[in-house]
Amino acid sequence: MSFELVVLGAASATPTSNSYTTSQLLKMREHYFLIDCGEGTQKQLRRSKTKFSRINNIFISHLHGDHFFGLVGLLSSFHLLGRTTPLTIYGPPKLKEIVLTQFRAAGTYTSYPISFKITQHKVPQVILETDAYTVVSFPLKHRIATTGFKFEEKLMKRGLNKARADELGIPVCDYHGIKNGKDWKSEEGTVISNKEITYDPPPPLSYAFASDTVYVPQTAQYVAGVNLLYHESTFCEDRVDRAKQTMHSTAKEAARVAKEANVQYLLLGHYSARYKNLNQFEIEAKEIFENSMRARELYAYKVSHHGIERKCLTEQAHEE
Ligand SMILES: [Zn+2]
Ligand SMILES: [Zn+2]
């Protein structure tokens, strides 16, 4: 099994002629999660050929404009496209007021219901849970209330070993019970243990998004062992002081979190516009954590138990 992360924007502060501010689309267990929504996110969603209607949950880490100025525009487009499916937005307390004020001022409404779920930045919190996955928000340390998000798949049911079931002459009507963990009993009374006729499910995968933050040792605890960690890295080593002043991290600090959390892969992003050569972020992070890579906009990162694959989604985005 696998999940895919599409990086829509990886710049900090302001969009430029060739970069967008923070936004990512996570595709996990058939669900699409939009994480942060910087200005121009809907344009990037279009360029990545994402169907808007697949997005039912949006997660906003904090209320700095580079993380949510694209939200009202996207919500308006959903309305203009005739959306009727409910949408849930997870974010800081003031987000609802901001969004609704804009809609009220324009005398507009949405064709679909929006629920706002408030995140709180003091302790980790389960904010969404289904049979397939859990989403947890966790505290970060930034100039204003900020959370990260961890998306964890749940362990799936055991898979039926069809060949073995055929060999034993198990009728199809008994498959359901076996998939739900039952042993099988033949008409003669022989009991076949569930383990013998099923496969182990694949271990669940996980992704963590650590938005704007200074280095704090607790982050490693919240994201411990994830398969992929995105951690902001606004600056390189030449601007350590600037990172502290603005409550951001350097590439090396992001790598330190990845190492301490023992994650599988680290993705860097939220680059300051002062840097022209973004490879420097990767070079510095790798000195501490080898499996580091820098996020590229309109690239999809597919993570499975076999590793990570990177794919460019558009011709224009191709850059090496
Ligand atoms: Zn930011
Ligand atoms: Zn910020």
Side-chain angles (χ1 to χ4, degrees), residues 61-67 142-144 146 211-213 232 246-248 270:
S61 65
H62 66 303
L63 295 181
H64 280 154
D66 54 333
H67 297 259
H142 192 38
R143 303 197 300 278
I144 54 171
T146 304
S211 191
D212 295 8
T213 186
E232 74 116 303
T246 55
M247 297 192 84
H248 282 297
H270 198 265

